[in-house]
Amino acid sequence: MKLFAAARRLFRILLVVIRYRLDDIILDLPMPWWLRGTSYLLPWRWIPRRHSELSRGARLRLALEELGPIFIKFGQLLSTRRDLLPPDIADELAMLQDRVPPFDSARATALIEQQLGAPVDELFARFDSKPLASASVAQVHAARLRSGEEVVVKVVRPNLKPVIAQDLAWLFMLAKSAERISIDARRLHLVEVVEDYAKTIYDELDLLREAANASQLKRNFEGSALLYVPQVYWDYCRPQVLVMERIYGVPVTDMAALARQNTDMRQLAERGVEIFFTQVFRDSFFHADMHPGNIFVSTHQPWSPQYIAVDFGIVGSLTPEDQDYLARNLMAFFKRDYRKVAQLHIDSGWVPAETKVNEFEAAIRTVCEPIFEKPLKDISFGQLLVRLFQVARRFNMEVQPQLVLLQKTLLNIEGLGRELYPDLDLWSTGQPYLERWMRERMSPRQLLRNVQAQIEQVPHLAHMTRELLERMSNPHADNPPPPWHERHRGWSLRLTGAVLLGGGATLASNAASFTALAAWPAWLMLAAGILIVVRR
């Protein structure tokens, strides 16, 4: 039965491929001459075209829409990979709306009751059977709790996992086949794209994960005038049901409504940029699905506008190392220090260590110099990153999933910001925040915190170091140290010296890219470590 369902699904996919002549897109890829020649023997190649007037991107978009929610979601994800796709296809896929026909309300009600273990009439004072919104993975209903709070109830589409598994299997098969016959397909890493998509969509099916993401983001922006995150009602949350505070705001793309309430559009656009940098660099936890359908603007205080975010199924984070390399890359870019950009990519491991710095530097300069000839406000920060990734891919840059999510989020934020305020200068808005973050990262207080954290990671080292420093400060104390300390004093000193040397070297290497003033704690640690080791 499963084999029959899979065969039937494949037949449906092939019909859509034929209807929208997607084989033309495949034939545009470089492939062996014999394979291209045999493709013209396929019978449907001689059938009159039904969609010949449409562009290849439009045909691909319509085909994904017809194939259903899973393929629509895949198209949305694929549209963010502008480092992989031709611009005309990426633009068309970006038009895919995050709305699909809702599923039957009776099935939604039954699933909610099954997950929460009680009838909806007992759970809620009011439950609207007509959905507020419907997306590819779930749909949302309005309701009111017995305690009086207005909420939304998000419920995952029923029986979605088997459909996803089946469609993913065919997507993997198509991607692997394309990579076997086409150099371009291999360069596009289609199998890796499908793997990223599989992880993303399976994560979205777990609404407890989304609830946890929302709670973390709310905690990060508690009391903030920049961003409001709805409250999660954990007592009503299950893997397939999420109950969250209902928000009332203006869709961020409703320019007429924003104008009617006299919203400060410049401040709204700039605050979007500040939210992005805050999430990425302060929190290392960012909403990675910030398309316009997930963003609203509060109706309170339009002269000081506040964003409202929803749908937290996809979030991203960066390691401290990635944060550091990204910040230094961005600063080097706008100083046109292409040598440093190239070296940072090699040092971070984003491109192979054997990459020739001079060649990589020249390639980056070729891409960036024409862009920087424009006025700063006309430079697309997101497109600059896209172009950089395209250049780096020629030097065998490995796909960095966390950077792909970051790039997607930045493109969304920048595009939205310029739609709200066309003269938005993303760099002048983000630069002060970035420079402040870099100064704080290398401040003496933060460096001492880092040292303390490193020491605390070694069992008993903090206690031993404290006792050692006390003895060194009072060497003529009447009470001699206990025999255990006496026996292990040399070992303790050597270990302390090694920790100081290692920590100092690490901090010095990081501080070297900043100011000499910021580097003094590192050199002090190095000097102390050397003195201890030499004296032993």
Side-chain angles (χ1 to χ4, degrees):
M1 190 66 181
K2 289 183 178 179
L3 183 61
F4 175 74
R8 185 174 60 184
R9 182 60 174 165
L10 178 60
F11 183 69
R12 169 89 189 282
I13 294 172
L14 289 175
L15 282 180
V16 172
V17 168
I18 294 168
R19 183 179 298 120
Y20 291 97
R21 304 308 297 266
L22 299 187
D23 50 325
D24 284 347
I25 300 176
I26 297 173
L27 288 174
D28 285 341
L29 299 173
M31 62 178 63
W33 64 268
W34 56 268
L35 189 58
R36 183 180 298 277
T38 56
S39 66
Y40 289 99
L41 300 178
L42 298 173
W44 62 79
R45 300 291 300 169
W46 304 98
I47 299 175
R49 297 170 179 266
R50 289 182 55 190
H51 300 282
S52 57
E53 74 284 356
L54 298 176
S55 68
R56 61 179 184 174
R59 283 184 279 126
L60 179 58
R61 172 175 57 83
L62 292 172
L64 295 176
E65 288 178 351
E66 188 167 327
L67 286 171
I70 307 306
F71 282 84
I72 291 172
K73 196 75 178 177
F74 181 66
Q76 292 168 352
L77 183 71
L78 201 59
S79 70
T80 67
R81 297 303 305 269
R82 289 180 176 266
D83 57 322
L84 302 180
L85 296 176
D88 60 317
I89 292 180
D91 290 342
E92 281 289 340
L93 294 183
M95 295 170 61
L96 288 170
Q97 298 298 313
D98 195 20
R99 291 185 177 274
V100 297
F103 62 91
D104 182 54
S105 297
R107 298 185 71 186
T109 301
L111 185 54
I112 293 169
E113 292 177 344
Q114 176 194 347
Q115 289 279 296
L116 296 179
V120 292
D121 292 340
E122 293 180 12
L123 294 165
F124 305 104
R126 190 197 76 249
F127 180 82
D128 296 345
S129 58
K130 183 180 179 181
L132 274 178
S134 178
S136 54
V137 169
Q139 69 186 33
V140 174
H141 294 260
R144 183 188 299 132
L145 297 179
R146 290 286 179 184
S147 51
E149 295 93 337
E150 293 291 330
V151 297
V152 292
V153 183
K154 185 173 184 177
V155 55
V156 173
R157 288 177 174 270
N159 303 319
L160 203 54
K161 273 195 175 181
V163 177
I164 290 175
Q166 197 177 91
D167 284 352
L168 284 175
W170 291 122
L171 284 173
F172 272 115
M173 186 195 72
L174 293 172
K176 289 175 182 176
S177 300
E179 286 195 359
R180 275 197 294 267
I181 65 175
S182 168
I183 297 173
D184 268 8
R186 288 193 292 274
R187 182 184 64 80
L188 295 178
H189 293 270
L190 292 182
V191 173
E192 291 183 20
V193 172
V194 178
E195 287 173 350
D196 288 345
Y197 170 61
K199 181 180 182 302
T200 298
I201 197 164
Y202 279 128
D203 284 349
E204 286 193 79
L205 292 180
D206 184 358
L207 295 187
L208 287 178
R209 186 187 187 98
E210 179 177 345
N213 292 340
S215 293
Q216 178 67 56
L217 199 61
K218 184 173 183 65
R219 207 160 40 246
N220 292 346
F221 283 87
E222 194 68 49
S224 171
L226 300 176
L227 179 67
Y228 182 80
V229 178
Q231 179 182 347
V232 173
Y233 293 91
W234 280 101
D235 290 343
Y236 299 89
C237 292
R238 301 292 186 274
Q240 292 181 282
V241 174
L242 167 64
V243 176
M244 182 178 287
E245 172 190 359
R246 184 176 182 180
I247 57 98
Y248 297 91
V250 179
V252 74
T253 52
D254 191 345
M255 299 299 176
L258 292 174
R260 282 196 300 272
Q261 69 173 19
N262 297 318
T263 305
D264 186 334
M265 303 301 281
R266 176 175 181 173
Q267 191 172 25
L268 183 64
E270 290 178 348
R271 283 188 167 185
V273 177
E274 187 175 350
I275 289 170
F276 170 79
F277 278 96
T278 301
Q279 290 183 87
V280 171
F281 291 103
R282 187 194 71 183
D283 304 327
S284 187
F285 189 85
F286 57 93
H287 191 313
D289 198 18
M290 295 194 73
H291 62 74
N294 289 339
I295 306 175
F296 297 83
V297 179
S298 173
T299 56
H300 304 296
Q301 297 182 329
W303 59 90
S304 179
Q306 182 186 44
Y307 284 93
I308 305 172
V310 298
D311 195 348
F312 310 96
I314 307 175
V315 298
S317 63
L318 300 177
T319 65
E321 292 77 19
D322 280 340
Q323 284 180 312
D324 182 58
Y325 280 117
L326 182 64
R328 290 158 68 182
N329 259 299
L330 295 177
M331 295 298 292
F333 260 125
F334 284 90
K335 293 178 181 177
R336 303 195 191 190
D337 188 350
Y338 305 124
R339 177 82 176 193
K340 187 172 183 179
V341 173
Q343 191 63 56
L344 283 169
H345 273 68
I346 296 171
D347 292 344
S348 67
W350 294 348
V351 295
E354 62 272 14
T355 302
K356 294 181 179 178
V357 179
N358 291 341
E359 293 180 5
F360 195 21
E361 176 190 1
I364 294 171
R365 181 182 295 107
T366 302
V367 168
C368 294
E369 277 301 314
I371 295 175
F372 283 120
E373 291 303 314
K374 301 177 181 178
L376 198 58
K377 70 179 182 64
D378 294 335
I379 296 175
S380 169
F381 208 0
Q383 292 296 337
L384 184 63
L385 279 184
V386 170
R387 295 288 298 276
L388 173 66
F389 288 168
Q390 288 173 335
V391 169
R393 186 169 296 281
R394 288 184 8 227
F395 289 83
N396 299 316
M397 176 176 175
E398 292 297 320
V399 174
Q400 304 286 331
Q402 74 278 20
L403 296 183
V404 171
L405 280 177
L406 184 76
Q407 170 192 299
K408 166 192 170 183
T409 306
L410 182 56
L411 284 169
N412 284 338
I413 289 293
E414 184 179 39
L416 177 62
R418 292 196 171 172
E419 185 176 350
L420 295 170
Y421 184 71
D423 288 335
L424 173 69
D425 180 352
L426 188 145
W427 178 241
S428 67
T429 305
Q431 183 181 10
Y433 183 93
L434 192 58
E435 290 178 336
R436 184 170 65 251
W437 177 83
M438 293 168 73
R439 285 196 302 270
E440 290 173 355
R441 187 177 177 87
M442 297 309 300
S443 67
R445 177 181 297 179
Q446 186 60 44
L447 290 175
L448 290 175
R449 286 177 183 168
N450 295 340
V451 172
Q452 181 180 1
Q454 289 184 8
I455 291 175
E456 289 175 351
Q457 289 176 2
V458 182
H460 310 300
L461 183 59
H463 176 72
M464 292 163 56
T465 303
R466 184 167 57 251
E467 289 190 352
L468 175 65
L469 292 175
E470 288 175 357
R471 290 202 311 275
M472 291 175 66
S473 64
N474 190 15
H476 302 294
D478 294 332
N479 298 324
W484 187 93
H485 291 87
E486 187 67 38
R487 289 199 306 270
H488 295 277
R489 181 169 57 184
W491 176 84
S492 301
L493 284 170
R494 283 193 292 271
L495 182 57
T496 303
V499 170
L500 289 171
L501 280 172
T506 302
L507 294 175
S509 64
N510 289 333
S513 301
F514 300 100
T515 63
L517 181 61
W520 71 264
W523 306 124
L524 186 60
M525 287 178 64
L526 281 171
I530 291 171
L531 282 175
I532 290 174
V533 172
V534 169
R535 289 190 64 181
R536 290 306 307 161

